[in-house]
Amino acid sequence: MSKNNTAESEELTDAMYYILLALMKERHGYAVMKYVEELTQGRVVIGPGTLYTLLKKLVKIEWIKQLEGSERQKLYVITAKGKHVLVHDWQRRSAMVEDGRLLIGESFDGK
């Protein structure tokens, strides 16, 4: 799947998934980067280039919105449409983990 088809398929990249999670509460860009890094205990680090490119894309497809206010520090928050996509992707990822648990668990049980 091409990255350009993400909006149509509603399958999120890892960076998009974590950005949407972070924007369950309104945050500015730097706060999103720090929140993701803290949430994942450093496993996921989103750089500024990736973050601001995705913020623009997510605003354009209306999964997040920029809040009115200071132009100096832009605040973003997830929309209802974005929450729907996030929940759908969370369910998809949870099913994938369960599939893996079943198969990987079987292979380790038999050693």
Side-chain angles (χ1 to χ4, degrees):
M1 168 186 53
S2 127
K3 290 183 181 183
N4 293 333
N5 293 332
T6 302
E8 292 83 25
S9 70
E10 295 186 351
E11 286 186 15
L12 304 176
T13 64
D14 290 348
M16 292 172 81
Y17 180 80
Y18 280 109
I19 290 168
L20 289 176
L21 276 179
L23 292 176
M24 293 293 289
K25 175 183 172 190
E26 65 184 51
R27 289 186 164 88
H28 58 82
Y30 181 76
V32 169
M33 289 189 297
K34 296 309 292 176
Y35 179 80
V36 169
E37 191 171 347
E38 290 170 12
L39 176 68
T40 64
Q41 298 175 348
R43 289 185 324 274
V44 177
V45 177
I46 300 173
T50 299
L51 176 72
Y52 291 105
T53 298
L54 287 175
L55 287 174
K56 286 178 188 175
K57 178 178 182 173
L58 294 171
V59 167
K60 184 176 180 179
I61 60 178
E62 299 178 343
W63 291 358
I64 66 171
K65 65 180 177 180
Q66 184 181 336
L67 300 176
E68 298 296 321
S70 170
E71 277 298 310
R72 187 171 175 269
Q73 193 175 66
K74 297 176 182 177
L75 290 174
Y76 300 91
V77 70
I78 195 168
T79 63
K81 191 174 178 181
K83 286 179 187 175
H84 171 79
V85 171
L86 179 61
V87 168
H88 179 267
D89 200 69
W90 172 75
Q91 291 169 333
R92 181 184 70 82
R93 289 169 185 261
S94 296
M96 290 170 62
V97 169
E98 189 56 34
D99 295 342
R101 181 176 292 132
L102 290 172
L103 294 173
I104 294 170
E106 287 176 8
S107 69
F108 283 109
D109 287 343
K111 291 187 181 183

